Amino acid sequence: EMSGFDNFNTDFYQTSYSIDDQAQHTYDYTNSGDPYNKPYENYDYSQQAGYAAPGMMPPQQAYTGQIYQPAPTFTPASSQSMYGSSFEDEPPLLEELGINFDHIWQKTLTVLHPLKAADGSIMNETDLAGPMVFCLAFGATLLLAGKIQFGYVYGISAIGCLGMYCLLNLMSMTGVSFGCVASVLGYCLLPMIILSSFGVLFSLQGLMGIIITAFIIGWCSLSASKIFISALAMDGQQLLVAYPCALLYGVFALISVF
């Protein structure tokens, strides 16, 4: 069978190449004349820069800290330096809300003394705590007299403040805010509370009642005009400001009398 297979290969392709010729074409891979074929033990590795033998590596610095407790690298500032001041230096809560009892008392005394000079810096503040209290007190005294007029009190107050706000902005050179007008008119409502308190004790529809009512209206309008003049630097215009104030407080007086 083997001889038949050799005959088949010989018959399939005729060539002059034989297996014996492979021994003559072997290559010398250990050619010493090759300049790139140098033994590894003769190569000088120390010529390379920055190279160190594995046994000559510098030892690493040992970790001296504790686990889960790293060394502090940042020292936080104190609470006082971060926030500027401690909680003891903070203003009271009422002062932060704009409720200053000292200023409320000074404004009340200014209204109770119509002939006293008003402090324009204090009166120019937008303080609505005192006016709200005085409006509630005025409505409460009317309620004691059997008159439920809370809606009229707040409605007339809003319309009167809006009218005075427009009028004062036309008359003054500096202008005024709506809150300042509401604050001044609300504080000057204090004498009207006295009138409504008299209405609880006796009737105000007689001659004595008319005199007391006229006096209270003049008191309220004089105090309001004095404060507006000092706060807005409107010298010589007090009577012009007192007239619309008298009309406003006259409406409150009508509620108290009738």
Side-chain angles (χ1 to χ4, degrees), residues 76-91:
S78 60
S79 59
Q80 293 186 359
S81 61
M82 292 176 63
Y83 297 99
S85 61
S86 60
F87 293 101
E88 297 178 356
D89 299 333
E90 292 185 355

Side-chain angles (χ1 to χ4, degrees), residues 49-230:
Y51 179 82
M56 300 299 294
M57 292 293 292
Q60 296 182 358
Q61 185 178 1
Y63 179 71
T64 58
Q66 299 180 1
I67 300 177
Y68 301 114
Q69 294 182 2
T73 58
F74 173 74
T75 304
S78 60
S79 59
Q80 293 186 359
S81 61
M82 292 176 63
Y83 297 99
S85 61
S86 60
F87 293 101
E88 297 178 356
D89 299 333
E90 292 185 355
L93 179 60
L94 294 178
E95 187 175 350
E96 291 183 355
L97 295 176
I99 302 175
N100 194 333
F101 290 104
D102 186 22
H103 290 181
I104 292 175
W105 178 248
Q106 292 182 15
K107 293 177 182 180
T108 305
L109 292 179
T110 303
V111 174
L112 294 177
H113 297 278
L115 302 178
K116 181 182 177 181
D119 189 0
S121 61
I122 296 178
M123 293 303 169
N124 203 15
E125 295 178 354
T126 304
D127 177 23
L128 298 179
M132 291 295 294
V133 173
F134 291 159
C135 287
L136 289 175
F138 181 60
T141 53
L142 292 177
L143 184 62
L144 293 176
K147 303 173 183 178
I148 305 176
Q149 305 291 348
F150 285 98
Y152 287 100
V153 171
Y154 287 108
I156 294 172
S157 300
I159 296 174
C161 291
L162 183 60
M164 288 299 299
Y165 168 72
C166 297
L167 182 62
L168 291 175
N169 280 318
L170 293 174
M171 296 177 63
S172 63
M173 299 297 295
T174 58
V176 65
S177 63
F178 183 81
C180 179
V181 174
S183 177
V184 173
L185 294 178
Y187 275 104
C188 294
L189 193 64
L190 179 59
M192 200 60 61
I193 299 174
I194 301 175
L195 178 64
S196 60
S197 300
F198 287 159
V200 177
L201 301 177
F202 54 87
S203 177
L204 297 174
Q205 298 181 6
L207 180 61
M208 184 60 66
I210 295 175
I211 295 175
I212 295 175
T213 302
F215 175 75
I216 293 298
I217 293 174
W219 187 357
C220 293
S221 60
L222 183 61
S223 299
S225 61
K226 177 191 65 175
I227 294 173
F228 283 132
I229 292 302
S230 61

